[in-house]
Amino acid sequence: MLSSSFRTLHGGFLGPRIAQSPLILGLSFLSPLSDSPFCELSANRRPLVNRKMSENGLASRRGKVLTTDTMNPSVKKVEYAVRGPIVQRAVEIENELKKGAKKPFSEVIKANIGDAHAMGQQPVTFFRQVLALCSYPELLNSPLFPEDVKSRAGRILQSCGGGSIGAYSASQGIECVRQDVAQYIKQRDGGIPCNPDNIYLSTGASDAIVTILKLLVCGEGRTCTGAMIPIPQYPLYSAALAELGAVQINYYLDEENCWSLNIGELRRALVDARKHCNPRVLCIINPGNPTGQVQSRKCIEDVIRFAAEENLFLMADEVYQDNVYADGCHFHSFKKVLFEMGPQYSNTVELASFHSTSKCYMGECGFRGGYMEVVNMDSDVKAQLTKLVSVRLCPPVPGQALMDLVVNPPKPGEPSHATFMKERTATLRSLAERAKLTEQILNTVPGIHCNPVQGAMYSFPQITIPERAVQEAKEKGQAPDMFYCMKLLDETGICVVPGSGFGQKEGTYHFRCIPKVSKPHIAFQDHVITRSLLAQS
């Protein structure tokens, strides 16, 4: 007999025939109802069931399905220094300070990552106002917001399913945002056409970069795809290549000439790599991360010719395109230069370029907004690219909305224009001043040499580490610059990233740092402490 509770729950709702089915009876067996005869049965039989499982070896053999021995071996090769052991130790020290631990410093200065807002940079008012209205459309009726803010929010919301940024968008991104990105690129590049269908919105630039690499990686052994990346490099590239099982081909930037890119070095790296893999892609970061160099137009032309001659796919990471500080330096997009070199190149060289909302004057890292433009991509491959991005449904819609505001800011004459320009100019001026200040301060410290920071947001100074300190580091199983950075953190509270996490020439040591926005001079003002670290012998 079925219990009255079960009959009410299942028979009354599902019907008597379904309630009598083996499936439902099985569910009743698992039910906690106290008056069910199956409860008593399960209690009586439980020891027998457990004994049989043990006899069959099921329980005794049961271990973890996923262990470090059985997991994807490529994942274990992935490293990302920007959030590595140094940062983990910094968090530990912060917790120790909160608990009252006595240190030679009162706070940890995180100069390891370009997280602008976390370090004090203020959001752009126009961006946040529009995003507020997009998130809470009832505010469209509020008198607190300028009319251009309301009209921009209304336009974005009209392009979203159900008028909500909580809805999915098309996988390639919201159409009106891609149109605005295309118009922005056209204006930036002096009128060179840009097709919105070649624009893919993305979860920051990082996601788009990894997606293109996925399309390029194939083969095994000597046919395995090789990707040429600059050294020093942003660790996203080495991490992605390790995860995808591709071959990393290092080409070294010329530190003696302000981290310039030398075509002879590109050719050396390519020739050596062809002995053991199939080089197919050349990655460029301009302005440079972590090195802060800005490539000249001539250098970009040389790179494009090299890619054309060697049949390489070009990837241009241009997320710092608004961050150019040094006199005589100018940002030139790879696409602009490519098309100005004529049809011989503009009709043939395959190019993907990337931009983001995370850096420049915006610093909106957390919204994860970005885009890529593909040029001269095979139509069948492009269809595969569209399929690949559709697997992830769509990029974050708030990030897409923010990307739209970055490429289509307030125009002259609109109510928000004056405030926007004031904030944008002030932020870029502050970044330029701190880039110069960082270079000057670092170069006053014996044992440290810093090249001029021409652009981006970082400095990458070389440090001289005494031989005894090098030996002590090796005894601890650490890279010498990791040893130095740990010492710097423990003794001063300054958190920077060792150059070994970005790559560097053998026998040289560096670290990457970004000045704390609210205290631009503090990170290395204590020369005595830094000098003592470098003088250890």
Side-chain angles (χ1 to χ4, degrees):
M1 291 289 293
L2 290 173
S3 70
S4 58
S5 299
F6 180 81
R7 188 176 295 109
T8 302
L9 265 172
H10 299 286
F13 180 71
L14 298 174
R17 183 168 299 177
I18 296 178
Q20 302 272 354
S21 73
L23 175 60
I24 298 301
L25 291 175
L27 291 173
S28 176
F29 176 78
L30 299 174
S31 171
L33 298 174
S34 59
D35 57 347
S36 171
F38 293 99
C39 292
E40 182 179 355
L41 175 63
S42 64
N44 292 337
R45 293 190 57 177
R46 193 175 296 121
L48 176 62
V49 173
N50 289 342
R51 186 167 64 252
K52 286 187 175 181
M53 286 184 65
S54 180
E55 289 171 358
N56 291 336
L58 296 177
S60 60
R61 290 204 308 268
R62 174 64 177 168
K64 296 290 186 184
V65 173
L66 184 62
T67 68
T68 54
D69 292 328
T70 61
M71 68 180 288
N72 183 344
S74 295
V75 173
K76 291 191 284 187
K77 298 177 184 177
V78 173
E79 295 183 359
Y80 189 68
V82 176
R83 292 179 181 257
I86 291 283
V87 181
Q88 295 168 17
R89 177 58 185 148
V91 172
E92 291 175 1
I93 292 175
E94 283 184 321
N95 291 332
E96 292 169 7
L97 288 170
K98 289 177 183 177
K99 294 176 181 178
K102 299 300 181 182
K103 302 280 185 183
F105 47 87
S106 59
E107 66 172 326
V108 173
I109 299 172
K110 291 183 177 177
N112 63 296
I113 192 168
D115 191 352
H117 290 184
M119 293 183 292
Q121 182 173 309
Q122 295 302 302
V124 174
T125 301
F126 177 75
F127 294 169
R128 289 302 182 90
Q129 286 181 329
V130 175
L131 291 171
L133 269 59
C134 287
S135 298
Y136 193 62
E138 285 80 355
L139 293 175
L140 287 165
N141 299 318
S142 171
L144 299 176
F145 296 90
E147 289 304 313
D148 58 340
V149 169
K150 293 180 180 180
S151 63
R152 187 63 61 82
R155 178 173 178 264
I156 292 171
L157 288 171
Q158 288 173 9
S159 302
C160 296
S164 170
I165 60 171
Y168 288 131
S169 76
S171 297
Q172 200 168 335
I174 298 171
E175 184 176 358
C176 78
V177 178
R178 291 189 289 114
Q179 291 172 349
D180 287 348
V181 170
Q183 183 62 26
Y184 161 80
I185 293 173
K186 179 180 179 181
Q187 292 176 346
R188 181 198 68 185
D189 293 344
I192 294 170
C194 179
N195 185 350
D197 193 48
N198 291 335
I199 303 298
Y200 289 77
L201 302 182
S202 58
T203 307
S206 300
D207 187 57
I209 289 168
V210 173
T211 298
I212 292 295
L213 288 174
K214 285 180 180 178
L215 291 175
L216 284 156
V217 173
C218 65
E220 296 179 354
R222 292 191 63 174
T223 66
C224 184
T225 293
M228 304 181 68
I229 64 172
I231 299 296
Q233 52 104 21
Y234 175 46
L236 164 71
Y237 290 91
S238 56
L241 294 174
E243 182 181 354
L244 296 170
V247 177
Q248 176 179 318
I249 303 170
N250 297 336
Y251 66 88
Y252 291 90
L253 301 176
D254 186 355
E255 185 172 9
E256 299 299 319
N257 289 294
C258 206
W259 300 110
S260 62
L261 193 163
N262 184 282
I263 297 300
E265 169 61 12
L266 282 182
R267 196 166 300 283
R268 177 208 62 78
L270 183 75
V271 170
D272 288 349
R274 281 184 170 151
K275 299 173 184 176
H276 58 85
C277 70
N278 178 24
R280 303 183 68 205
V281 56
L282 171 58
C283 303
I284 308 288
I285 308 175
N286 180 49
N289 175 11
T291 45
Q293 86 284 1
V294 178
Q295 291 182 4
S296 68
R297 181 189 173 90
K298 181 183 183 306
C299 177
I300 295 173
E301 289 178 354
D302 289 343
V303 168
I304 290 172
R305 291 191 189 94
F306 177 79
E309 292 169 7
E310 302 296 343
N311 197 30
L312 298 172
F313 189 106
L314 265 177
M315 293 176 62
D317 183 336
E318 299 174 333
V319 303
Y320 295 99
Q321 58 189 257
D322 288 322
N323 296 104
V324 177
Y325 317 124
D327 293 339
C329 289
H330 303 280
F331 171 74
H332 303 279
S333 79
F334 266 77
K335 183 189 175 184
K336 182 176 188 291
V337 176
L338 175 67
F339 276 74
E340 290 178 347
M341 290 175 67
Q344 177 185 356
Y345 300 100
S346 62
N347 290 342
T348 58
V349 174
E350 296 157 87
L351 168 70
S353 60
F354 311 91
H355 195 17
S356 168
T357 65
S358 299
K359 309 301 178 184
C360 301
Y361 66 92
M362 303 85 72
E364 295 280 12
C365 307
F367 278 94
R368 310 308 300 132
Y371 75 75
M372 66 176 164
E373 180 188 13
V374 295
V375 176
N376 291 325
M377 179 173 278
D378 179 87
S379 59
D380 290 336
V381 173
K382 191 176 170 187
Q384 294 296 318
L385 170 60
T386 303
K387 178 188 73 175
L388 188 59
V389 299
S390 71
V391 172
R392 296 190 180 183
L393 298 177
C394 69
V397 174
Q400 295 186 51
L402 179 60
M403 191 78 254
D404 184 73
L405 305 177
V406 170
V407 299
N408 188 17
K411 296 177 173 57
E414 293 183 336
S416 300
H417 181 260
T419 299
F420 170 79
M421 290 303 299
K422 180 181 177 181
E423 293 174 345
R424 181 184 187 276
T425 301
T427 298
L428 290 174
R429 182 187 296 119
S430 174
L431 289 168
E433 291 171 353
R434 286 183 286 114
K436 188 66 175 176
L437 186 60
T438 300
E439 173 199 338
Q440 291 173 347
I441 290 177
L442 288 171
N443 282 327
T444 65
V445 182
I448 295 182
H449 172 71
C450 183
N451 274 324
V453 181
Q454 297 175 332
M457 295 173 65
Y458 314 98
S459 60
F460 197 70
Q462 183 172 155
I463 51 178
T464 302
I465 301 180
E467 185 58 32
R468 281 189 60 185
V470 172
Q471 291 304 316
E472 185 176 344
K474 290 180 179 178
E475 290 170 6
K476 292 178 178 290
Q478 293 181 341
D481 48 10
M482 170 67 82
F483 175 76
Y484 168 81
C485 291
M486 279 292 189
K487 284 276 190 181
L488 185 69
L489 175 62
D490 286 332
E491 298 189 25
T492 70
I494 301 168
C495 180
V496 296
V497 189
S500 51
F502 300 88
Q504 54 198 351
K505 281 192 174 181
E506 186 73 26
T508 66
Y509 309 110
H510 303 77
F511 61 81
R512 189 191 80 164
C513 73
I514 178 170
K516 189 175 173 69
V517 173
S518 59
K519 300 176 183 178
H521 62 287
I522 196 171
F524 289 90
Q525 66 180 1
D526 193 344
H527 298 175
V528 176
I529 294 176
T530 308
R531 188 181 297 116
S532 69
L533 290 172
L534 291 169
Q536 289 182 17
S537 60

